[in-house]
Amino acid sequence: MASLTRPFVVRVPGDKSISHRALMFAALAEGESRVQGILESADVQSTAGVLRRLGVDVPELGPDIRVTGRGLRSLHAPREVLDCGNSGTTTRLMGGIVAGFPFEARFVGDESLSRRPMRRIAAPLRAMGASVELRDGDSLPMLVRGGALRSVSWESDRASAQVKSAVLLAGLVGGVEVSVAEPERSRDHTERMLAAQGAGIVIDELKVSLIPPAALAPLQLRVPADPSSAAFFGALAAMMPGRTVVLRYVCLNPTRTGFFDMLSAMGADVGVEHAREEGGEIVGDYVVTGAPLAGVTVGGAAVPAMIDELPLLACVASRAGGETRITGASELRVKESDRIAAVVSNLRTLGVDAEELPDGMIVRGSTQPLRGRIVTHGDHRLAMAFGVLGALPGNEIEVDDPRCAVVSFPGFWERLGEATRAFGD
Ligand code: S3P
């Protein structure tokens, strides 16, 4: 479908997963790393804060920062607790790193993070020889006493990049070979970045092995835009027939592009321009034009490639013809909120026909105007997904806590205002 208005062109902030890893891996490298376009969000600030407490000289985050790493053995025992805020990635990846050091560190987090499961990383780290204590066996606070580690071949029972990365990073700092097998492929930024820094990474179908290097080379990185943040504007355009968004310099890593593939399967016109390889990742521009949408079925291997976008997909499904069925996504129950229960109850509040499944949900679309107040439970992705739905003409949706978007996307509401003005012209 041809564009009815001028396209809305936006470059959303840097990828969150890559930004966390950039700080951690720069800290463990030998020499000065340069990172451009890091995401300056609350979650990445949590990683910066934790690294500072471990003795790393992390500068204030900005568009072009340099971090001097002092090597794989350089972290110091923290004098204070490691506050991970709302960030699961900070907790689980730093948990793996700290497990390789001969000191004790106590990880804490906010209310949401304190409800999230941590046994999934404690189990492999214990198998490697670290001591990990958790409240009620599964929750923060988490006390890690690291030290000499042994090699492990871990069979993960879920596709989780955080679990996979915790094991790979423990092997990296512990100087022991490790491997992780998972049931489906999860995002692979850790593998790509560490390989670029000189670590031995061997991929054998769903199994990843790390052969630890003597040292990590510093990073020279331009962080591409986050596909999980770009998704909100792709969704908005997709739901408005004839409106076009151009999303610049997005990370097109195939473990992250599931949502855009699904928009295309629903009937939106989704194109990619200027795709190229940069710094071990594929980057390029998405061009999305809206069209009448139809419901889809999502499950299996497609789920990890769009895990953070499933709340948004459910919102898009509420405007698509027919039924959308999401299964195989029980991990949604242990994200920043129970995203199955929260998405379904909020959709129902708005008058949408939606139901929970143990591992997903069913949403039946309609064209009736949606009105009501959304309870986000402090979950950034819920706030933004329903914000997009509320930006459609005819809908009146109030989000109880819009500010929580700063966890992953500072400036989201301003960009959303610009997009709706552009699409209204
Ligand atoms: C992330 C992995 C995913 C994702 C999270 C970021 C990462 O979590 O949901 O937002 O950066 O490794 P899981 O590994 O728990 O699936």
Side-chain angles (χ1 to χ4, degrees):
M1 182 180 270
S3 204
L4 290 178
T5 52
R6 253 185 315 125
F8 176 65
V9 183
V10 64
R11 176 167 165 179
V12 301
D15 186 75
K16 183 153 81 69
S17 293
I18 295 177
S19 296
H20 282 295
R21 288 162 173 79
L23 290 181
M24 295 175 194
F25 304 171
L28 295 172
E30 265 173 31
E32 187 182 86
S33 290
R34 180 176 181 194
V35 184
Q36 292 172 279
I38 198 165
L39 172 65
E40 297 173 50
S41 81
D43 262 14
V44 182
Q45 296 287 2
S46 294
T47 288
V50 165
L51 287 168
R52 288 186 192 114
R53 289 198 166 181
L54 292 163
V56 183
D57 189 8
V58 181
E60 202 181 305
L61 300 187
D64 189 354
I65 59 166
R66 285 157 210 267
V67 179
T68 301
R70 307 208 185 281
L72 290 166
R73 308 295 324 146
S74 61
L75 302 188
H76 295 306
R79 280 199 292 266
E80 289 156 293
V81 294
L82 302 179
D83 187 352
C84 301
N86 189 248
S87 175
T89 308
T90 308
T91 317
R92 297 191 179 122
L93 271 60
M94 288 306 307
I97 291 174
V98 163
F101 285 89
F103 53 67
E104 189 175 291
R106 192 176 158 82
F107 292 78
V108 298
D110 70 6
E111 211 184 298
S112 149
L113 188 60
S114 301
R115 278 195 301 268
R116 296 180 66 187
M118 296 298 157
R119 190 186 303 141
R120 55 182 61 194
I121 63 154
L125 297 177
R126 285 177 190 138
M128 293 179 74
S131 151
V132 184
E133 282 171 33
L134 291 165
R135 177 176 56 88
D136 300 329
D138 202 17
S139 310
L140 296 186
M142 172 170 78
L143 187 69
V144 180
R145 279 190 217 92
L149 298 181
R150 52 183 175 266
S151 172
V152 78
S153 275
W154 191 252
E155 297 271 340
S156 179
D157 52 5
R158 55 180 59 79
S160 163
Q162 295 180 353
V163 171
K164 176 176 63 177
S165 300
V167 178
L168 296 178
L169 293 171
L172 175 77
V173 294
V176 292
E177 195 172 324
V178 286
S179 68
V180 186
E182 40 183 7
E184 317 277 2
R185 193 175 307 284
S186 63
R187 65 191 65 190
D188 62 359
H189 305 296
T190 297
E191 298 90 301
R192 286 172 186 256
M193 292 172 76
L194 291 181
Q197 290 180 272
I201 297 284
V202 181
I203 309 216
D204 178 11
E205 296 187 353
L206 295 172
K207 183 167 133 188
V208 183
S209 307
L210 173 131
I211 299 128
L216 276 188
L219 285 162
Q220 298 292 327
L221 186 67
R222 277 216 295 162
V223 181
D226 195 325
S228 300
S229 298
F232 296 110
F233 298 96
L236 182 66
M239 290 187 283
M240 297 180 75
R243 302 300 190 270
T244 297
V245 70
V246 179
L247 297 153
R248 295 268 190 235
Y249 199 61
V250 179
C251 178
L252 300 177
N253 181 316
T255 62
R256 302 289 303 283
T257 51
F259 179 76
F260 284 90
D261 298 342
M262 211 45 79
L263 282 184
S264 169
M266 294 175 92
D269 185 348
V270 179
V272 171
E273 289 178 356
H274 311 121
R276 62 211 182 264
E277 208 192 302
E278 248 194 62
E281 294 281 1
I282 305 160
V283 298
D285 302 344
Y286 269 124
V287 182
V288 180
T289 301
L293 303 177
V296 278
T297 302
V298 185
V303 167
M306 56 181 302
I307 187 73
D308 294 336
E309 290 71 74
L310 288 173
L312 179 61
L313 184 79
C315 288
V316 174
S318 75
R319 304 285 78 183
E323 186 176 287
T324 290
R325 175 182 285 262
I326 301 170
T327 57
S330 51
E331 277 294 303
L332 289 181
R333 294 210 181 266
V334 291
K335 293 292 180 188
E336 286 82 330
S337 66
D338 176 343
R339 287 180 175 164
I340 294 176
V343 166
V344 168
S345 79
N346 279 313
L347 284 174
R348 283 192 176 162
T349 301
L350 300 177
V352 177
D353 180 358
E355 63 187 85
E356 285 190 38
L357 301 172
D359 64 342
M361 61 190 98
I362 297 173
V363 180
R364 295 180 191 92
S366 78
T367 52
Q368 75 183 64
L370 305 179
R371 308 226 155 102
R373 181 179 157 87
I374 296 307
V375 183
T376 60
H377 307 279
D379 185 331
H380 55 132
R381 297 208 195 274
L382 258 62
M384 293 186 279
F386 283 96
V388 166
L389 207 48
L392 293 176
N395 291 351
E396 279 170 38
I397 299 177
E398 188 195 341
V399 172
D400 70 346
D401 178 18
R403 280 172 316 173
C404 64
V406 296
V407 162
S408 61
F409 194 160
F412 168 76
W413 298 102
E414 291 77 4
R415 297 291 88 69
L416 185 62
E418 288 161 17
T420 41
R421 278 193 295 281
F423 289 160
D425 285 347

